[in-house]
Amino acid sequence: MKKKVISIVMAGIIAASLAACGGSTQSAGSSGAASEPAAASEAAEAKEDSAVSEAGEATEGEGKVLNIQCWNDEFARRMRDHMPGYEAYDKDDALKGGKLGDVEVTFTMTPSTENAYQNNLDSILPENTSAAEDDRVDMFLVEADYALKYVNTPVCLPISDLGITEDELANQYQYTKDIVTDEEGNLKGLSWQGCPGVLIYNRDMAKEVLGSDDPDEVQKAVADWDTFNKTAALLKEKGYRITSSANDSYRTFSNNVSSPWVVDGKINIDDNIKAWVEMSKQQVDAGETGTADLWSPDWSKGFAKDADVFCYFGPAWLINFSMGNVDDGEKEDDGSRTFAGGWGATVGPQGFYWGGTWICAAAGTDNPTAVAEIMRQMTTNEEVLTEIVKVDNDFVNNKPAMEAAATDDSFAFKPLGGQNPLAMFCEGADKIDLSNVSEYDQGCNESFQLAMKEYFEGNATYEEALEAFYKSVKEKYPELEY
């Protein structure tokens, strides 16, 4: 594809687009004059005409149907709103697909519930190369917890096979590449986002118990796990809980292990995981936290203004799309509700990450050029990525874009009362270490938390909970020993 032409067109388009929106509907302090209607219209027409002709030329001789497998509509929405030259069929339902040049784009969504999405991939990807061309999977999405399950097999292509070079990926955060690099060193996926996490705290409780809601002052009270536990005791004296659930802190521990879940075919419990068990049991017994499952009503009710929960651990998406939409506070023009700026963000005891979506090219795709161009535009085009930050409050996988946003007040978060936490996220993203990630992470993490819940609630001894964990993992991965 003629990248120079697209880049020239895109520069004008995105500049006009950013000027027109003047900031996200979910960002505090956003302002900006709208661009001239005629200029915006001309830019939009130029974008459509150029991108469509380029896509048509680029895909000549290749397939006319590009099939994408996903578990929700997030990537479909990102393409609908930001992919140059892409025309969505339905502005409200992104999963209905669209056209990219002369290529029809289709999305097949299978929910993650009860492992249905992975089961679907497992059934279709091994036979993909022999499927009819228009039925072949061209792209599929994966999450960090199970990415290596597919990356370490032939079902997805190395990025280099698509003609995408290392130089094109120079501005991406290293951890987002490490997580989709196979055992032979081949990069086999790309992401438009990064998901480093921070500690998100209740400002009113911080003022009452700690004397200040300033992020630097609050950080002193949660700087490491010893001080975190001391603060938990102080909060309990005032009738508050440090976290909603013991599961809130789990990823902060599991992301900082010194060994993987499986070593030489044997299930391995790292000392940092054991430290989480010890801390959590003490906190649950003391009434300083609960045992609710993540995403349950009991867990998320701590988002509300009159709740008794001091903090959560999470990335940008948790702040803006979960905590920023509780039924409290002032109603915004877009219908969402916020806790009236009642939260603040600070670094917390340890860095961690949570979530993220990676794009993989399926072996057997008959649309390698279109797949490569989607990857380029959605994960390396700084103008497109800046627009995603502005419009969607995503933390994107582009260092220059995020470093610029971190110093721009228009990127402040409304749930955080106008605080811009992006500098913390940038620092955290650079420190993420995935040297101990494995293809068994999702299964082991889920089984371990479920087993330990029985121990925390007094329904089993630690040894009994541990045995239940081992049995659960063996059911998922019969090849493992313990």
Side-chain angles (χ1 to χ4, degrees), residues 31 45 54 95 128-129 134 186 338-339 392 394 398 474:
S31 63
E45 290 175 5
E54 288 290 337
L95 288 171
N128 196 52
T129 55
D134 286 349
N186 298 304
T338 70
F339 174 7
D392 303 304
D394 230 347
N398 184 281
K474 280 285 289 182

Side-chain angles (χ1 to χ4, degrees), residues 91-411:
K91 67 180 181 65
D92 297 317
D93 186 356
L95 288 171
K96 288 186 177 179
K99 294 281 285 187
L100 182 63
D102 61 354
V103 176
E104 181 179 359
V105 177
T106 71
F107 292 92
T108 299
M109 194 274 284
T110 306
S112 294
T113 309
E114 297 183 352
N115 214 47
Y117 178 65
Q118 289 183 61
N119 292 338
N120 176 55
L121 293 183
D122 295 346
S123 69
I124 60 177
L125 291 179
E127 308 300 326
N128 196 52
T129 55
S130 59
E133 289 188 352
D134 286 349
D135 295 333
R136 292 181 187 178
V137 178
D138 296 288
M139 297 170 57
F140 64 97
L141 307 178
V142 297
E143 290 187 281
D145 284 349
Y146 58 82
L148 286 178
K149 172 182 176 181
Y150 299 100
V151 167
N152 283 329
T153 70
V155 299
C156 54
L157 297 174
I159 299 306
S160 58
D161 286 5
L162 301 171
I164 299 174
T165 67
E166 292 184 8
D167 287 345
E168 293 180 80
L169 310 176
N171 289 330
Q172 295 187 347
Y173 289 98
Q174 186 59 42
Y175 97 89
T176 68
K177 292 181 277 190
D178 291 344
I179 208 163
V180 282
T181 298
D182 71 11
E183 295 168 334
E184 297 178 354
N186 298 304
L187 179 64
K188 300 178 86 172
L190 296 175
S191 180
W192 73 91
Q193 63 186 173
C195 296
V198 295
L199 182 145
I200 309 144
Y201 61 89
N202 183 301
R203 287 184 179 273
D204 289 342
M205 290 184 202
K207 289 177 183 177
E208 178 184 349
V209 179
L210 305 178
S212 174
D213 68 338
D214 180 80
D216 292 337
E217 291 302 312
V218 174
Q219 176 61 20
K220 295 176 183 177
V222 293
D224 53 49
W225 292 115
D226 286 340
T227 55
F228 182 86
N229 286 319
K230 291 176 182 177
T231 298
L234 290 175
L235 288 161
K236 182 62 173 63
E237 291 176 2
K238 297 290 186 179
Y240 303 125
R241 292 180 294 158
I242 185 78
T243 55
S244 181
S245 170
N247 293 318
D248 283 304
S249 60
Y250 180 79
R251 282 186 178 271
T252 318
F253 282 86
S254 66
N255 284 176
N256 288 283
V257 293
S258 58
S259 59
W261 268 115
V262 176
V263 177
D264 297 329
K266 189 174 182 179
I267 302 169
N268 168 65
I269 302 177
D270 189 83
D271 287 344
N272 217 40
I273 300 293
K274 295 175 182 177
W276 171 77
V277 174
E278 181 179 357
M279 183 189 82
S280 296
K281 178 60 173 173
Q282 292 175 354
Q283 288 182 349
V284 171
D285 287 349
E288 297 167 355
T289 192
T291 59
D293 296 331
L294 296 185
W295 308 115
S296 67
D298 283 342
W299 173 75
S300 59
K301 69 183 181 183
F303 295 166
K305 187 174 184 179
D306 60 354
D308 65 345
V309 176
F310 177 68
C311 73
Y312 287 84
F313 291 86
W317 56 258
L318 183 73
I319 298 171
N320 289 308
F321 305 123
S322 299
M323 304 178 76
N325 284 286
V326 296
D327 293 327
D328 274 324
E330 301 171 356
K331 189 172 184 179
E332 305 299 331
D333 293 339
D334 64 359
S336 66
R337 293 179 180 272
T338 70
F339 174 7
W343 297 96
T346 194
V347 175
Q350 284 182 293
F352 68 102
Y353 73 94
W354 184 5
T357 302
W358 279 260
I359 311 166
C360 295
T365 175
D366 59 335
N367 288 288
T369 305
V371 169
E373 191 59 19
I374 291 172
M375 286 185 166
R376 281 193 176 98
Q377 295 294 348
M378 297 302 293
T379 75
T380 73
N381 186 317
E382 188 174 333
E383 289 87 356
V384 169
L385 292 165
T386 298
E387 185 182 69
I388 291 174
V389 181
K390 202 77 171 178
V391 175
D392 303 304
N393 283 126
D394 230 347
F395 182 96
V396 296
N397 191 18
N398 184 281
K399 291 183 180 182
M402 294 316 307
E403 288 168 358
T407 61
D408 185 343
D409 289 342
S410 70
F411 288 91

Side-chain angles (χ1 to χ4, degrees), residues 466-478:
L466 204 57
E467 186 64 24
F469 160 68
Y470 286 132
K471 289 182 178 179
S472 175
V473 174
K474 280 285 289 182
E475 290 176 0
K476 296 175 181 178
Y477 312 112

